[in-house]
Amino acid sequence: MHRREFVSAALVGLAGLQPGGPASALAAGKNAPKTRIVIDALSSPSDFGDPLPLSADAVRDVRASGVTAINWTVSSRTFETTVAQIAFAQALVESDPGLWRLARAHADMALAAASGQVAVLLGFQHTEPLGERGERLETFRRM
């Protein structure tokens, strides 16, 4: 089962819990705003260092997913590697600005969704790249 099939099945199952049952829940969904923000919080459109831009097949998969934003973990164990991974994420966005948008705020995600793009949120899983230098947090924020 693919992710989209799973999500569709789960939504239909949850719809049965709504007042009026599945039919009214599905009808309400058809009347929902067309621009939704759908975030994949564990996504990576590419491995760091892969050739850019992405292949036509990879772009087609991204567009077919329905995802409008990804949280891409860029932090590594060292400051230098984290900077390199942020630079790669920025290069991905620059390689296909019609598909990707770097997101720093909710408004960036909303604009990406409305424009048919995928917002890229740069995520950290730990603080090791900061080392003993808290001022690096501001450095990362400005990237």
Side-chain angles (χ1 to χ4, degrees):
M1 176 179 278
H2 295 282
R3 184 184 316 182
R4 294 183 115 211
E5 293 168 328
F6 172 78
V7 170
S8 294
L11 291 173
V12 169
L14 289 173
L17 301 175
Q18 301 297 318
S24 71
L26 292 174
K30 289 180 181 176
N31 296 325
K34 298 296 182 206
T35 304
R36 295 185 178 111
I37 296 175
V38 180
I39 302 171
D40 186 336
L42 296 173
S43 188
S44 172
S46 173
D47 288 331
F48 293 108
D50 280 355
L52 296 175
L54 297 181
S55 70
D57 287 342
V59 169
R60 185 177 53 252
D61 289 346
V62 169
R63 291 205 182 277
S65 73
V67 169
T68 62
I70 61 168
N71 179 46
W72 193 2
T73 300
V74 294
S75 60
S76 183
R77 300 293 178 207
T78 68
F79 176 80
E80 294 78 11
T81 305
T82 300
V83 169
Q85 292 184 170
I86 291 170
F88 183 78
Q90 292 170 334
L92 172 82
V93 172
E94 292 169 4
S95 76
D96 191 349
L99 177 59
W100 307 105
R101 176 182 296 269
L102 192 60
R104 295 179 169 275
H106 179 271
D108 298 321
M109 290 188 291
L111 187 56
S115 302
Q117 296 171 297
V118 177
V120 178
L121 296 93
L122 304 179
F124 277 63
Q125 294 291 328
H126 46 78
T127 60
E128 286 181 85
L130 298 176
E132 298 294 322
R133 299 178 57 190
E135 69 274 9
R136 287 181 172 171
L137 188 60
E138 182 67 14
T139 300
F140 287 130
R141 188 192 72 74
R142 291 176 183 250
M143 293 181 155

